[in-house]
Amino acid sequence: MLEIRGLTATIDDKTILNGIDLTIPPGEIHAVMGPNGAGKSTLSYVLSGREGYEVTAGSVTFYGQDLLAMEPEERAAAGLFLAFQYPVELPGVGNANFLRTALNAIHRRRGEPELDAVQFLKLARGEVKKLAMSEDMLKRNVNVGFSGGEKKRNEVLQMAVLKPKLAILDETDSGLDIDALRIVADGVNAQRGPGFSSLIITHYQRLLDYIVPDRVHVLAEGRILRSGGPELAHELEARGYAGLVGESAEAA
Amino acid sequence: MAATPLRTPARAPNAALAAFLTRYDGLRERLPGPHEPRDAAAEVLREMGWPTPKEEPWHYTNLRPVEAQVFHEAVAETGDGTRLIAHLPAVAGPRLIFVDGRFRGDLSALPPDVTTSTFAEGGASSGFDLLARPKRDRLVALNTMLAEDGAIIDVAEGIDGGFLLLGQLTSGQHRRVASHPRHRLRLRRGASLVLLEVSAGEGEYLHNPVIEIDLAEGAHLTHVRLQQESAEAFHLSTVYVDTAARATYDSFSLSLGAQLGRSEIHARLGGAQAAVHLNAAQIMGGTQLSDFTTVITHDAPNCASRQTVKSVLIGRARAVFQGRIEVARVAQKTDGYQMNQALLLSPDAEINSKPELEIYADDVKCSHGATVGALDPEQLFYLRSRGIAAAEARMILVRAFLTDAFEAVTHEGVRAVLEHAVETWWNTTGRAAEALAS
Ligand SMILES: Nc1ncnc2c1ncn2[C@@H]1O[C@H](COP(=O)(O)OP(=O)(O)OP(=O)(O)O)[C@@H](O)[C@H]1O
Ligand SMILES: [Mg+2]
């Protein structure tokens, strides 16, 4: 269960998040849509603990823990995962090694047994296959020379291996071809269940045809301006944000 | 206000050198080999002293901390050697072990396919190979004056000598000592050898080895150097290499230890199609100073030289890289490459680098580049967001930074030794330095 209450955050004294309220119960998938620059990625970064943001008000609890007081690695071990909008390249770091180090670091923190190279490769190869990726990707350096779509798939591979309780997917659908979109959606749907929830940031209704969300939220001007069921995404697709953002401005 | 002329304060007398010269007077009759080169070296030192920062090659490395000390003659007890040997990496295979600059047969295992003897046992009688230039290189003069022993290694024509460990241990734990081993390596036509040279020890000491290397036509030497001296040690080493046609000198120097260390390599490409690789990594913390100084002389056409030098610095550590490449008029079609990269893990760390190209031939390809940077916060966050703790994430990025330098070490066993040494360094010195910095 993720509970965000009145979250306000600034970068260099500029307010980007301006009182976010959002609750994602276990097992639910929520979509967040909103115009460019609305603060969607900022929200995902603040939740995962990136430096450079100042939280000036509000609170975030994750399965009862004060998320904002935790280090990024502690949040990961608690079950939070962020699929980056712009995955980072790590030259000189092998993809398989990176993933195994991450998985074992999380296991260690939780007091679970670590996987040896053989056990890990078996697991990773299985997930690679499900995502229709080439096994070669495991041998290459993390994201180095990957195409845009390959980087996104690599994020989903990490999610599949690390098995988070809450996955934030920040525009994971952008840059994916039609087949890949389907495969990635299948990957997310495969995780679905009472122990898995997700916050899917997207600009396109299309992904939500494959991963049908429980709730859809509109984030603009640093706040959740509207929430609704899956039909809200269709409405936005048809009408855009202009009316919504305007309405709120009038209301304010 | 009346102008008072500025004066540089007079440099205090060099106590270390004075004591070494006195020791030479007492030791002279007992030292092996002819007196002439030693007397000449003593004369140079008496007249010129040893290098100060006023001399260009020593601009960045001040030997003053060494000068203030008096170093005693090492009289290691037998037990010391057996204990010190634990500082050597755990690699199987033949080994030549020196403790305080003297050969220790009891700790060594002679290589099957390589002829070895010692400097003390007659190697000295053939004199000092005169690749060394004591007037210019006065620490080599110091070595020439006081060297007692060293390894004489000879690989016969066409022979693959396999792997050999050269261990140099110094016992400074009882009192401050100095050792000046003098090694000589000769690979005849088409011969090859993988030499892992390790310097280690305990306590406060000066280790001043000189290695002269002669590679005949088509010979191939892989020379991996691991400097993991004690934290209080001074390490001042000089390597001279001369390559004949089609010979390859492939070296990698990893420096981790010593409070003040300098590795100097002079490599001459003397025959066509020879190749010289002087790669290095210096990983330093605290107030350590590490200096890697190289002079590559292209004296023949169609030769290649390659250098990738990486420095990783924490705390207030400082690294120096001076890389000089000289291309003589005859050395047409020279292919020279030099890359110097530093990773500064704290705001007080510092790198001084000085590339120097002196090119007299007109048809050459020489490139050099340099980068200085900190760890990328985006990469660090990416790793941490996947559950990897900050310190481990930093180690992963440091290792990634070193990767392409280490890839040059193709002998797997030796590369594993280097990687293990870096890992150990990180888990002790590195983490401690990090804790202090943060
Ligand atoms: N480091 C920064 N310094 C200054 N402003 C920033 C910084 N990072 C983000 N911003 C600003 O914060 C606002 C929100 O950015 P954010 O990346 O969260 O938007 P987004 O909703 O994810 O947009 P998009 O749909 O284009 O990905 C933007 O106006 C952006 O310019
Ligand atoms: Mg964004």
Coordinates of all heavy atoms in Angstrom, one line a residue, chain B residues 108-150:
Chain B
S108 N 62.0 -19.1 -2.2 CA 61.8 -19.1 -3.7 C 61.6 -20.4 -4.2 O 61.9 -21.5 -3.6 CB 63.1 -18.4 -4.3 OG 63.3 -17.1 -3.8
A109 N 61.1 -20.5 -5.5 CA 60.9 -21.7 -6.2 C 61.4 -21.4 -7.6 O 60.7 -20.5 -8.3 CB 59.5 -22.2 -6.2
L110 N 62.5 -22.0 -8.1 CA 63.1 -21.5 -9.3 C 62.2 -22.0 -10.5 O 61.7 -23.1 -10.5 CB 64.5 -22.1 -9.4 CG 65.4 -21.6 -8.3 CD1 66.9 -22.1 -8.6 CD2 65.4 -20.1 -8.2
P111 N 62.1 -21.2 -11.5 CA 61.4 -21.5 -12.7 C 62.1 -22.6 -13.5 O 63.3 -22.6 -13.6 CB 61.3 -20.2 -13.5 CG 62.5 -19.4 -13.1 CD 62.7 -19.8 -11.6
P112 N 61.4 -23.5 -14.1 CA 62.0 -24.6 -14.8 C 62.7 -24.2 -16.2 O 63.7 -24.8 -16.5 CB 60.8 -25.6 -15.1 CG 59.6 -24.8 -15.0 CD 59.9 -23.7 -14.1
D113 N 62.1 -23.3 -16.9 CA 62.6 -23.0 -18.2 C 63.3 -21.7 -18.4 O 63.5 -21.2 -19.5 CB 61.3 -23.0 -19.2 CG 60.6 -24.3 -19.2 OD1 61.3 -25.4 -19.1 OD2 59.4 -24.3 -19.2
V114 N 63.7 -21.1 -17.2 CA 64.4 -19.8 -17.3 C 65.6 -19.9 -16.4 O 65.7 -20.5 -15.4 CB 63.4 -18.8 -16.6 CG1 64.1 -17.4 -16.5 CG2 62.1 -18.7 -17.4
T115 N 66.7 -19.3 -17.0 CA 68.0 -19.3 -16.2 C 67.9 -18.1 -15.2 O 67.7 -17.0 -15.6 CB 69.1 -19.1 -17.2 OG1 69.0 -20.0 -18.2 CG2 70.5 -19.3 -16.5
T116 N 68.2 -18.4 -14.0 CA 68.2 -17.3 -13.0 C 69.5 -17.4 -12.2 O 70.0 -18.5 -11.9 CB 67.0 -17.4 -12.0 OG1 67.0 -18.7 -11.4 CG2 65.7 -17.2 -12.7
S117 N 70.0 -16.3 -11.8 CA 71.1 -16.2 -10.8 C 70.8 -14.9 -10.1 O 69.8 -14.2 -10.2 CB 72.4 -16.2 -11.6 OG 72.5 -15.1 -12.4
T118 N 71.8 -14.5 -9.2 CA 71.6 -13.3 -8.5 C 72.7 -12.3 -8.8 O 73.8 -12.7 -9.2 CB 71.5 -13.5 -7.0 OG1 72.7 -14.1 -6.5 CG2 70.4 -14.5 -6.6
F119 N 72.4 -11.1 -8.5 CA 73.4 -10.0 -8.7 C 74.5 -10.2 -7.7 O 75.7 -10.1 -8.1 CB 72.6 -8.7 -8.4 CG 73.4 -7.5 -8.6 CD1 73.5 -7.0 -9.9 CD2 74.0 -6.8 -7.5 CE1 74.3 -5.8 -10.1 CE2 74.7 -5.6 -7.7 CZ 74.8 -5.1 -9.0
A120 N 74.3 -10.7 -6.5 CA 75.3 -10.8 -5.5 C 76.3 -12.0 -5.9 O 77.5 -11.9 -5.7 CB 74.7 -11.1 -4.2
E121 N 75.7 -13.0 -6.5 CA 76.5 -14.2 -6.9 C 77.2 -14.1 -8.2 O 77.4 -15.1 -8.8 CB 75.5 -15.4 -7.1 CG 75.3 -16.2 -5.8 CD 74.2 -17.3 -6.2 OE1 73.8 -17.4 -7.4 OE2 73.8 -17.9 -5.2
G122 N 77.5 -13.0 -8.7 CA 78.2 -12.9 -9.9 C 77.6 -12.1 -11.0 O 78.2 -11.6 -11.9
G123 N 76.3 -11.8 -10.8 CA 75.6 -11.0 -11.8 C 76.3 -9.6 -11.8 O 76.4 -8.9 -12.8
A124 N 76.8 -9.2 -10.6 CA 77.4 -7.9 -10.5 C 78.7 -7.8 -11.3 O 79.1 -6.7 -11.7 CB 77.5 -7.5 -9.1
S125 N 79.3 -8.9 -11.4 CA 80.7 -8.9 -12.0 C 80.7 -8.4 -13.5 O 81.6 -7.9 -14.0 CB 81.4 -10.3 -11.9 OG 80.6 -11.2 -12.6
S126 N 79.5 -8.6 -14.1 CA 79.4 -8.1 -15.5 C 79.1 -6.6 -15.5 O 78.8 -6.0 -16.5 CB 78.3 -8.9 -16.2 OG 77.1 -8.8 -15.6
G127 N 79.1 -6.0 -14.3 CA 78.9 -4.6 -14.2 C 77.4 -4.3 -14.2 O 76.6 -5.2 -14.1
F128 N 77.1 -3.0 -14.2 CA 75.8 -2.6 -14.3 C 75.5 -2.4 -15.8 O 76.2 -1.7 -16.5 CB 75.6 -1.3 -13.5 CG 75.8 -1.4 -12.1 CD1 77.1 -1.3 -11.5 CD2 74.7 -1.7 -11.2 CE1 77.3 -1.5 -10.2 CE2 74.9 -1.8 -9.9 CZ 76.2 -1.7 -9.3
D129 N 74.4 -2.9 -16.3 CA 74.0 -2.7 -17.6 C 73.8 -1.2 -17.8 O 73.1 -0.6 -16.9 CB 72.7 -3.4 -18.0 CG 72.9 -4.7 -18.7 OD1 74.1 -5.1 -18.9 OD2 71.9 -5.4 -19.0
L130 N 74.4 -0.6 -18.8 CA 74.3 0.8 -18.8 C 73.2 1.5 -19.5 O 73.3 2.5 -20.2 CB 75.7 1.4 -19.1 CG 76.6 1.1 -17.9 CD1 78.0 1.5 -18.2 CD2 76.2 1.7 -16.6
L131 N 72.0 0.9 -19.4 CA 70.8 1.5 -19.9 C 70.5 2.7 -19.0 O 70.0 3.7 -19.3 CB 69.6 0.6 -19.8 CG 69.6 -0.6 -20.7 CD1 68.4 -1.5 -20.4 CD2 69.5 -0.1 -22.2
A132 N 70.9 2.6 -17.7 CA 70.7 3.6 -16.7 C 71.5 4.8 -16.9 O 72.7 4.7 -17.4 CB 70.9 3.0 -15.3
R133 N 71.0 5.9 -16.6 CA 71.8 7.2 -16.7 C 71.8 7.9 -15.4 O 71.0 8.7 -15.0 CB 71.1 8.1 -17.8 CG 71.4 7.5 -19.2 CD 70.5 8.2 -20.2 NE 70.6 9.6 -20.2 CZ 69.8 10.4 -20.9 NH1 68.9 9.8 -21.7 NH2 69.9 11.7 -20.9
P134 N 72.8 7.5 -14.5 CA 72.8 8.0 -13.1 C 72.9 9.5 -13.0 O 72.4 10.0 -12.0 CB 74.1 7.3 -12.6 CG 74.9 6.8 -13.7 CD 73.9 6.6 -14.9
K135 N 73.5 10.2 -13.9 CA 73.5 11.7 -13.8 C 72.1 12.3 -13.8 O 71.8 13.2 -13.1 CB 74.4 12.3 -14.9 CG 75.8 12.4 -14.5 CD 76.6 13.5 -15.2 CE 77.9 13.5 -14.6 NZ 78.9 14.3 -15.3
R136 N 71.3 11.7 -14.8 CA 70.0 12.3 -14.9 C 69.1 11.6 -13.8 O 68.3 12.3 -13.2 CB 69.5 11.9 -16.3 CG 68.1 12.4 -16.6 CD 67.5 11.8 -17.8 NE 67.4 10.3 -17.7 CZ 67.1 9.5 -18.6 NH1 66.9 10.0 -19.9 NH2 67.0 8.2 -18.4
D137 N 69.3 10.3 -13.6 CA 68.4 9.6 -12.7 C 69.1 9.3 -11.4 O 69.7 8.2 -11.3 CB 67.9 8.3 -13.4 CG 67.4 8.5 -14.8 OD1 66.8 9.6 -15.1 OD2 67.6 7.7 -15.7
R138 N 69.0 10.2 -10.5 CA 69.9 10.1 -9.3 C 69.4 9.1 -8.3 O 70.1 8.7 -7.5 CB 70.1 11.5 -8.7 CG 71.5 12.0 -9.2 CD 71.4 13.2 -10.0 NE 70.7 14.2 -9.2 CZ 69.9 15.1 -9.6 NH1 69.6 15.1 -10.9 NH2 69.4 16.0 -8.8
L139 N 68.1 8.7 -8.4 CA 67.7 7.6 -7.5 C 68.3 6.3 -8.0 O 68.5 5.4 -7.2 CB 66.2 7.6 -7.4 CG 65.7 8.8 -6.7 CD1 64.2 9.0 -6.9 CD2 66.0 8.7 -5.2
V140 N 68.5 6.3 -9.3 CA 69.2 5.1 -9.9 C 70.7 5.1 -9.4 O 71.3 4.1 -9.1 CB 69.1 5.1 -11.4 CG1 69.8 3.9 -12.0 CG2 67.6 5.0 -11.8
A141 N 71.2 6.3 -9.4 CA 72.6 6.4 -8.8 C 72.7 5.9 -7.4 O 73.6 5.2 -7.0 CB 73.1 7.9 -8.9
L142 N 71.7 6.2 -6.6 CA 71.6 5.8 -5.2 C 71.5 4.2 -5.2 O 72.2 3.6 -4.4 CB 70.3 6.3 -4.6 CG 70.1 5.9 -3.1 CD1 71.2 6.5 -2.2 CD2 68.7 6.4 -2.6
N143 N 70.7 3.7 -6.1 CA 70.7 2.2 -6.2 C 72.0 1.6 -6.6 O 72.5 0.6 -6.1 CB 69.5 1.8 -7.2 CG 69.5 0.4 -7.5 OD1 70.3 -0.2 -8.1 ND2 68.4 -0.3 -7.0
T144 N 72.6 2.2 -7.6 CA 73.9 1.8 -8.1 C 75.0 1.8 -7.0 O 75.7 0.8 -6.9 CB 74.4 2.7 -9.3 OG1 73.4 2.6 -10.3 CG2 75.7 2.2 -9.9
M145 N 74.9 2.8 -6.2 CA 75.9 2.9 -5.1 C 75.7 1.8 -4.1 O 76.7 1.2 -3.6 CB 75.7 4.3 -4.5 CG 76.7 4.6 -3.4 SD 76.5 6.4 -2.9 CE 75.1 6.3 -1.7
L146 N 74.5 1.4 -3.8 CA 74.2 0.6 -2.6 C 73.7 -0.8 -2.9 O 73.5 -1.6 -2.0 CB 73.3 1.3 -1.6 CG 73.9 2.5 -0.9 CD1 72.9 3.3 -0.2 CD2 75.0 2.0 0.0
A147 N 73.4 -1.1 -4.2 CA 72.7 -2.4 -4.5 C 73.6 -3.6 -4.0 O 74.8 -3.6 -4.3 CB 72.5 -2.5 -6.0
E148 N 72.9 -4.5 -3.3 CA 73.6 -5.7 -2.9 C 73.3 -6.9 -3.7 O 74.0 -7.8 -3.8 CB 73.3 -6.0 -1.4 CG 73.8 -5.0 -0.4 CD 73.3 -5.2 1.0 OE1 73.4 -6.4 1.4 OE2 72.8 -4.3 1.6
D149 N 72.0 -6.9 -4.1 CA 71.5 -8.1 -4.7 C 70.4 -7.8 -5.7 O 69.9 -6.7 -5.7 CB 71.0 -9.1 -3.6 CG 71.2 -10.6 -4.0 OD1 71.4 -10.8 -5.2 OD2 70.9 -11.4 -3.2
G150 N 70.0 -8.8 -6.4 CA 68.9 -8.7 -7.4 C 68.7 -9.9 -8.1 O 69.5 -10.9 -8.0

